[in-house]
Amino acid sequence: MSTTPLQSQVVMPAQAPADDEIDLGQLAATLKRRWRLIGAAAGGTLALSGIVTLLQKPVWEGEFQIVLAQKESPGSGAQALLQSNPGLANLIGAKGGENQLETEVKILESPSVLKPIFDEVKSLKAKSGEDVSNWLYSDWLESNLEIKLEKGTSVLNLSYRDTDKPLVIPTLEKISKAYQAYSGRDRERGIQQAIRYLDQQIETYRSQSLASLRRAQQFAIEQDLTALKGDGENDKEIRNSFNIEAIRVEAANRIRNIDQQLKQLRALGTDPEAVMFRGLVIPELATKGIYQSLDEMDTQLAILRSKFTDGDETIRRLVERRRLLIGVLKRQTYGYLLAQRTDAQAKLAAAERPKGVLIRYRELVRESARDEATLTRLENERQVLALEQARKQDPWELISKPTLLDKPVSPKKSRNLALGLLAGLVLGSGAALVVERRSGKVFAIDDLRSALPGDLLAELEECSGAASVQAVLQLLASGPLAASGSGSLALIPVGLEQAAIEGLRQALETACQRPVLCSTDLVACRSCATQLLITTPGAATRVQLAELRQQLRLQGTPIAGWLLLKPASEG
């Protein structure tokens, strides 16, 4: 190296990175220096991942899709019933919505549906010689099955994975049949529960309706309110339309009307003509023969008066007879009106009841009608559900049959190799940083600046020419080194062999025109006027630099600065 030309440049002092910053340049340089270690680690993990991939059994996957809903026929009686009765819909599990679908998915993942299939797969694996003693349903569900609801729809996607290729399709078919069976089972069980509930309610309301009807009937009989006819189904008793309140009001109005007629009749006095015409407004009296006789008398009187005067004996007898008949008519009118008033008073008295009787009767009648209407509604709902139970409904629809993928889903060779390579690079990089740290050698220029006394005067790089090196040395000789006078100069190598920098020593001696001593012996260098250090990245450890700094402080000889000798590959 003593004959190798050098290229140099004077460098300005650089700022060291802050303590909380990472010098990416130093990190990259470290990784570059330890590339063999990183390459070995990456190659090892790549080979290991390749071996593991080759040793792994291929995992095959199959899938199918199923719709978690039944198609309801338009105008279905059960559908209309459930829409009008949310409580009954909840009872048979006919609710809809996203929450219901999520609940269905959880049920389909539960052991109540898939445990028989797990047991069958476990049995087949055991027969093939595989150890299944530690198999658990939860582990099998998590590692072999993927059950996912398509977002925004009721379509369920199910995939099954297994290392045994011939077992994938049969297992998927069993799962699809189990799901379809579950759909019908859930509907049948819900309808049966609803029918049992309605049967209980029908029995309760049948007894309740009969009891309320009997209470209303008994109360009506005790209070003489109405008569009941026996053409009902249960106890042959129903209500008629008799209204006691209407009878009472009609009788009271009739009494007031008769009293007004009597008052008017009394006001007529002895006027025979007014009395006769007053009786004509009563239909029952108008049809009697007395009015016909009076008409005949009036006709005779008109004829006789046309021939004779009122003093004629025949006319007088006829007038007297007419007066007697009108008196009889007046008495008959009085008698008839009084008889009618007595009859109305009797009806009014018969229609009167103690206070609260009619209100209580209305309550009993309303209660009986309500119980009967409830019983009828329950019987109708029970009949609709019985028809729905008899109707065969299609199970959940498979929109795609169980299908096996053409290629195994695992192992993925490219991914495994890429992950192995990545892991090797990460591990190798970490190992490189650890080895670099444990070696203790200082490669960073900033670390050298902080560890060595004095300033960095110049960076010298190995190259094919020496003119620039001589120029820099001339500048050093006339600049920083001139201040020490004309005495000898000590060139102290730090971590370098003396023979490696012999050429540089000679060039420096020529530039300075004074003796240059190249030695690591600080005692021998003490006699020199000034001292100049020279080192290269990675030549010394931190411990060595600290010891050198301490020894130079004890020596007491001035230090002009230090030079950095960089390999040609660095820049």
Side-chain angles (χ1 to χ4, degrees), residues 403-433:
T403 305
L404 182 68
L405 301 183
D406 297 333
K407 296 181 180 180
V409 295
S410 177
K412 295 182 178 179
K413 298 179 182 180
S414 57
R415 186 187 66 178
N416 290 354
L417 293 177
L419 291 176
L421 179 60
L422 179 62
L425 292 175
V426 173
L427 292 176
S429 300
L433 294 175

Side-chain angles (χ1 to χ4, degrees), residues 111-274:
S112 63
V113 179
L114 295 179
K115 184 64 164 56
I117 299 173
F118 166 73
D119 293 336
E120 189 171 349
V121 172
K122 184 176 179 181
S123 176
L124 292 174
K125 293 286 187 179
K127 290 180 180 179
S128 64
E130 187 173 342
D131 183 14
V132 294
S133 57
N134 294 327
W135 272 37
L136 296 176
Y137 173 79
S138 57
D139 296 337
W140 176 77
L141 178 66
E142 183 178 356
S143 60
N144 292 70
L145 281 172
E146 183 179 359
I147 303 173
K148 183 172 61 177
L149 192 65
E150 194 75 23
K151 186 176 181 180
T153 68
S154 59
V155 176
L156 183 72
N157 298 319
L158 186 142
S159 59
Y160 175 72
R161 296 175 294 275
D162 203 306
T163 56
D164 191 355
K165 182 178 179 180
L167 190 61
V168 175
I169 292 299
T171 302
L172 285 173
E173 291 177 347
K174 292 171 184 175
I175 294 175
S176 65
K177 291 179 181 179
Y179 280 5
Q180 289 180 319
Y182 163 77
S183 67
R185 181 192 67 185
D186 186 58
R187 171 182 173 273
E188 182 67 22
R189 183 174 58 186
I191 292 178
Q192 288 177 356
Q193 289 178 348
I195 289 179
R196 284 196 297 269
Y197 167 77
L198 290 177
D199 286 340
Q200 295 173 357
Q201 296 302 311
I202 287 173
E203 186 64 27
T204 300
Y205 274 93
R206 181 176 286 117
S207 302
Q208 184 173 332
S209 175
L210 181 60
S212 60
L213 184 60
R214 284 177 175 171
R215 285 195 298 270
Q217 179 191 33
Q218 183 65 28
F219 188 83
I221 293 174
E222 291 174 355
Q223 299 297 330
D224 295 328
L225 293 175
T226 182
L228 300 179
K229 299 179 181 180
D231 56 356
E233 180 181 354
N234 297 325
D235 63 345
K236 306 301 182 183
E237 296 169 344
I238 61 171
R239 303 179 307 277
N240 65 5
S241 59
F242 187 79
N243 193 331
I244 195 69
E245 184 67 14
I247 294 176
R248 188 189 67 80
V249 173
E250 181 183 358
N253 291 333
R254 188 176 179 190
I255 290 174
R256 283 194 291 271
N257 185 29
I258 292 174
D259 288 342
Q260 188 66 25
Q261 291 184 28
L262 290 173
K263 182 179 179 181
Q264 292 177 359
L265 187 61
R266 293 189 189 98
L268 295 177
T270 58
D271 185 359
E273 300 298 331

Side-chain angles (χ1 to χ4, degrees), residues 296-310 312-319:
E296 293 176 355
M297 289 180 182
D298 288 339
T299 302
Q300 292 177 5
L301 283 174
I303 294 173
L304 291 174
R305 282 174 177 167
S306 65
K307 297 178 180 181
F308 306 102
T309 64
D310 290 339
D312 184 75
E313 184 65 22
T314 303
I315 292 175
R316 286 200 306 270
R317 286 197 301 269
L318 192 58
V319 169

Side-chain angles (χ1 to χ4, degrees), residues 346-569:
K347 289 183 178 181
L348 179 63
E352 290 181 349
R353 295 293 184 274
K355 185 178 181 181
V357 169
L358 294 179
I359 295 176
R360 175 58 180 165
Y361 180 61
R362 287 195 182 97
E363 290 178 354
L364 292 174
V365 170
R366 185 169 60 251
E367 179 182 357
S368 175
R370 182 175 62 249
D371 291 342
E372 184 177 356
T374 302
L375 176 61
T376 301
R377 180 174 58 82
L378 290 174
E379 289 174 342
N380 292 337
E381 291 177 355
R382 205 270 185 202
Q383 185 178 10
V384 171
L385 287 180
L387 294 174
E388 181 67 15
Q389 185 180 30
R391 184 174 66 88
K392 296 298 180 181
Q393 189 174 29
D394 293 334
W396 287 343
E397 180 185 1
L398 280 175
I399 60 176
S400 67
K401 295 182 179 180
T403 305
L404 182 68
L405 301 183
D406 297 333
K407 296 181 180 180
V409 295
S410 177
K412 295 182 178 179
K413 298 179 182 180
S414 57
R415 186 187 66 178
N416 290 354
L417 293 177
L419 291 176
L421 179 60
L422 179 62
L425 292 175
V426 173
L427 292 176
S429 300
L433 294 175
V434 171
V435 170
E436 185 87 358
R437 186 69 177 176
R438 295 185 65 178
S439 69
K441 293 185 177 182
V442 180
F443 289 89
I445 298 177
D446 294 330
D447 293 340
L448 290 173
R449 280 196 178 98
S450 61
L452 292 173
D455 296 330
L456 173 61
L457 302 179
E459 294 181 7
L460 306 176
E461 184 175 353
E462 298 179 2
C463 63
S464 58
S468 60
V469 173
Q470 193 66 32
V472 170
L473 294 179
Q474 289 290 343
L475 292 175
L476 289 175
S478 60
L481 299 180
S484 61
S486 59
S488 61
L489 175 65
L491 183 62
I492 303 173
V494 181
L496 297 173
E497 295 293 337
Q498 295 181 17
I501 59 172
E502 179 62 25
L504 182 61
R505 185 198 67 80
Q506 296 175 1
L508 182 61
E509 190 174 45
T510 302
C512 293
Q513 297 296 317
R514 53 178 172 169
V516 176
L517 174 63
C518 181
S519 175
T520 58
D521 186 359
L522 297 182
V523 176
C525 295
R526 186 175 183 180
S527 61
C528 297
T530 186
Q531 300 177 113
L532 183 64
L533 305 180
I534 184 169
T535 188
T536 188
T541 64
R542 295 180 185 275
V543 176
Q544 292 173 341
L545 294 177
E547 291 177 352
L548 175 62
R549 190 183 188 97
Q550 184 178 7
Q551 292 172 1
L552 291 173
R553 188 181 299 112
L554 294 175
Q555 183 198 49
T557 303
I559 301 296
W562 56 281
L563 302 177
L564 180 64
L565 182 61
K566 299 175 63 177
S569 58

